Amino acid sequence: MTTLDTAPQSAPRASFLNDPVIRGIIYQVVVAVILIAFIVWIVGNTAANLAAQNKTTGFDFLWKTAGFDISFSLLPWSRGSYYWEAFLVGLLNTLLVAFIGIVFATILGFTLGIARLSSNFIISSLATVYVEVIRNIPLLLQLFFWYFAVLKAMPAVRQSIALPYDSFINQRGIFVPRPIPDEQFGFVWIAFAIAIAAVFLMRRWARKRLEATGQRFPVFLTSLVLLIGITAIGWFVSGASVAFDPPVLERFNFTGGLALPPEFVALAFGLTIYTASFIAETVRAGVQSVNHGQTEAAQSLGLKDNDRLRLVIVPQAMRVIIPPLTSQYLNLTKNSSLGAAIGYPELVNVFAGTSLNQTGRAIECIAITMLVYLVLSLATSALMNWYNGRVRLVER
């Protein structure tokens, strides 16, 4: 009889290339080599082209005299200013219109989003028409409309339209009184900062009190009292005062006051109403994502309509609203570059436009401009992600 060999046989060794870990490493190395080779080729080709055209590179041009005018600036500006100052002027103008647009677009968008869900047919229909019309017309065309068809069609300076509080509007923009605070007004800002801190602490205390006892505290009215009261106390104690310099019509233009050029007004207004239409849809979707049982539960507790929306619906909807809302904030900031089409001196117009054309430093100007928008986008995303973590639902 023959004896069968029953010793366990070892499994055949897997091929070297069939190992998923090894394959993954090889793929990554190949992609990295191709990417590095492409970058080296781009850099070498760019350097060769610049050398052939006798062009130099570097950022020394930032300390050279700009030699051009800027129509709207938050900083002192003259033709003798440097290119780095032109960069700061364009950056601040971009931040100004982006901040104003984000604030007012958020307020208008939330209002329209809630209005679309209203049981009132007229309100919901008007909100729907607004959203569907505004968001389906390209932003650039809307900016052209507000700038050329509305603001530039205003009367000439001598026929300016008078507005309340010594304000005027004409084809050169909107002219309003300029506030001039005295030296003691800094104490008012300190008092206002203290009031904001007091409101924040009060809101935290009221939330803990509600969770512990179920008793509600009039947070809104108390916040108003703290903001107005503490600021007013700082105002009267410091003896601060604010004078107003009204615009005065001279022979050819207004002197004094604060001038808001039509380019700024058209861009800020256009960005606000355009982005608000998208925010409205985001808010509507977020509210509708909340289970209807939450509304019924709030009704069973005897909450009023406003309280149901503010305390139950919106807090749960925010986890759905915030991610797309962040995208709208990013879009609004980047869309501010369209101000170059109507002559608003934002970053692209001043630095990636005029400064680039005069210095010929295309790579440097475009690289700095791209880096600015990247930093602004990452900072906005980080702030909104932090807020999203604060309002997300926590499972027990």
Side-chain angles (χ1 to χ4, degrees):
M1 296 179 63
T2 59
T3 303
L4 298 177
D5 187 6
T6 59
Q9 300 291 330
S10 59
R13 188 172 182 178
S15 174
F16 178 80
L17 295 178
N18 289 335
D19 190 335
V21 176
I22 300 299
R23 286 204 314 269
I25 295 176
I26 294 175
Y27 293 154
Q28 295 178 48
V29 171
V30 171
V31 171
V33 170
I34 294 175
L35 180 60
I36 293 174
F38 178 75
I39 294 175
V40 170
W41 176 78
I42 287 292
V43 172
N45 186 55
T46 303
N49 291 334
L50 291 175
Q53 300 176 16
N54 294 324
K55 290 185 177 181
T56 59
T57 58
F59 297 93
D60 57 307
F61 73 96
L62 293 174
W63 283 265
K64 294 182 179 179
T65 302
F68 60 87
D69 292 323
I70 297 179
S71 60
F72 178 74
S73 173
L74 298 177
L75 299 175
W77 175 263
S78 67
R79 297 175 66 91
S81 300
Y82 299 112
Y83 282 108
W84 67 265
E85 294 177 288
F87 167 75
L88 290 181
V89 169
L91 176 60
L92 289 179
N93 286 347
T94 295
L95 293 176
L96 175 64
V97 74
F99 177 78
I100 292 175
I102 286 175
V103 171
F104 287 101
T106 301
I107 297 174
L108 181 59
F110 267 79
T111 303
L112 291 170
I114 300 300
R116 287 207 64 181
L117 301 174
S118 174
S119 57
N120 188 303
F121 176 77
I122 297 178
I123 294 178
S124 62
S125 298
L126 290 177
T128 300
V129 170
Y130 173 91
V131 170
E132 296 301 331
V133 171
I134 296 299
R135 72 172 183 165
N136 287 298
I137 298 177
L139 176 58
L140 185 59
L141 293 181
Q142 295 189 39
L143 295 180
F144 285 158
F145 172 78
W146 296 117
Y147 181 66
F148 293 106
V150 176
L151 294 175
K152 282 300 183 179
M154 290 289 174
V157 175
R158 303 295 299 180
Q159 290 80 35
S160 299
I161 300 175
L163 302 176
Y165 306 106
D166 291 329
S167 301
F168 302 89
I169 183 172
N170 54 55
Q171 59 185 208
R172 295 187 180 180
I174 300 176
F175 298 83
V176 297
R178 178 191 295 272
I180 305 176
D182 61 4
E183 297 179 354
Q184 303 297 322
F185 202 80
F187 294 101
V188 178
W189 289 115
I190 295 176
F192 183 71
I194 295 174
I196 293 178
V199 169
F200 177 75
L201 295 175
M202 182 272 298
R203 288 176 63 88
R204 292 188 60 182
W205 170 82
R207 186 183 300 111
K208 292 181 179 180
R209 178 174 181 264
L210 177 63
E211 295 174 353
T213 64
Q215 297 179 356
R216 294 179 55 190
F217 188 78
V219 176
F220 180 74
L221 292 178
T222 307
S223 299
L224 286 180
V225 172
L226 289 175
L227 287 174
I228 298 175
I230 296 178
T231 305
I233 291 174
W235 187 304
F236 289 113
V237 170
S238 64
S241 61
V242 178
F244 289 91
D245 178 26
V248 178
L249 179 61
E250 299 292 346
R251 292 184 60 187
F252 302 106
N253 202 356
F254 283 92
T255 59
L258 181 63
L260 302 177
E263 297 82 8
F264 168 76
V265 176
L267 182 61
F269 189 77
L271 288 175
T272 296
I273 65 171
Y274 180 77
T275 309
S277 63
F278 290 90
I279 294 179
E281 284 297 275
T282 299
V283 173
R284 182 181 65 86
V287 171
Q288 289 183 328
S289 69
V290 179
N291 193 294
H292 186 65
Q294 297 293 316
T295 302
E296 296 175 342
Q299 290 174 341
S300 66
L301 293 176
L303 294 179
K304 298 179 181 179
D305 291 341
N306 292 336
D307 291 335
R308 287 201 302 269
L309 190 64
R310 182 171 56 89
L311 300 176
V312 179
I313 306 301
V314 172
Q316 297 184 68
M318 289 301 292
R319 62 188 177 89
V320 178
I321 293 174
I322 290 179
L325 182 63
T326 303
S327 298
Q328 295 306 321
Y329 289 168
L330 299 179
N331 290 337
L332 188 148
T333 303
K334 290 179 288 188
N335 285 338
S336 65
S337 61
L338 293 176
I342 57 176
Y344 178 69
E346 42 75 48
L347 183 62
V348 173
N349 188 2
V350 172
F351 196 69
T354 307
S355 298
L356 186 154
N357 291 331
Q358 293 195 174
T359 62
R361 303 294 180 88
I363 297 177
E364 294 85 347
C365 291
I366 296 300
I368 293 175
T369 304
M370 293 173 60
L371 181 61
V372 167
Y373 281 106
L374 176 62
V375 172
L376 292 178
S377 297
L378 292 178
T380 304
S381 298
L383 179 62
M384 294 300 293
N385 288 336
W386 170 81
Y387 182 69
N388 189 31
R390 293 289 305 272
V391 302
R392 72 172 184 267
L393 295 179
V394 180
E395 297 182 357
R396 297 184 182 275

